[in-house]
Amino acid sequence: MRRPLIVAVLMSFMLASCAAANDPASTIEKYAEEYNADDMDALMELFSEESVIIGHPESTRAEGLTFIREVQVSDRGYAALEDPYTFSNIEVTGTAVTWDQVWHSNEGETFCAVGQSAVVEDGVILLWTWPDNFGDC
């Protein structure tokens, strides 16, 4: 009698986990979480060899896992030790995500960017475009 209930609960959990993994907003939130935790291996799981970052302050174009990792490691080296990134106003339209961010450096500086955008498919950031307005808050 209990088996159908257990199976139903497990299937519900698995479907919810799958939906979260495919939700572009969750992927962007996970990026901030892993970046803030300074877990570069977990962060890099959010990218693929086909991923591209355009307009990042460390590089005008980072393409592929090796180059994206270099940019992320360099960037994280300047970041505050605790919770350098805060994302807000996350909006999703299909696979496109936009958000605003605040980033804190290890020297106490604060930088903002309004209108970050990315294309996220199946939990992978394929294209991340930085806005031109990145700078002091």
Side-chain angles (χ1 to χ4, degrees), residues 7-8 16 33 37 39-40 52 54 57 86 105 115 121 126:
V7 170
E33 178 184 315
D39 188 342
M40 199 55 57
V52 178
I54 298 172
T86 303
S105 78
E121 293 182 9
L126 296 176

Side-chain angles (χ1 to χ4, degrees), residues 14-113:
M14 289 172 36
L15 288 172
S17 296
C18 183
N22 290 326
D23 175 35
S26 294
T27 301
I28 295 304
E29 290 167 346
K30 183 148 180 70
Y31 172 89
E33 178 184 315
E34 301 303 352
Y35 185 97
N36 287 347
D38 199 13
D39 188 342
M40 199 55 57
D41 290 335
L43 183 138
M44 290 306 299
E45 289 179 12
L46 301 173
F47 295 94
S48 73
E49 196 59 48
E50 290 75 34
S51 296
V52 178
I53 299 175
I54 298 172
H56 188 281
E58 291 288 314
S59 171
T60 57
R61 183 178 179 89
E63 188 169 351
L65 292 173
T66 300
F67 199 31
I68 289 173
R69 179 181 280 274
E70 288 174 12
V71 168
Q72 296 298 316
V73 167
S74 177
D75 184 80
R76 189 61 178 91
Y78 295 106
L81 296 177
E82 289 189 34
D83 298 327
Y85 256 138
T86 303
F87 290 178
S88 62
N89 302 321
I90 299 172
E91 295 184 17
V92 176
T93 304
T95 61
V97 186
T98 59
W99 69 97
D100 302 333
Q101 71 181 42
V102 176
W103 181 86
H104 302 282
S105 78
N106 58 10
E107 295 179 355
E109 300 167 306
T110 301
F111 299 98
C112 294

Side-chain angles (χ1 to χ4, degrees), residues 1-15:
M1 227 22 168
R2 291 187 167 196
R3 281 191 184 165
L5 178 60
I6 292 171
V7 170
V9 169
L10 287 174
M11 288 186 68
S12 175
F13 177 76
M14 289 172 36
L15 288 172

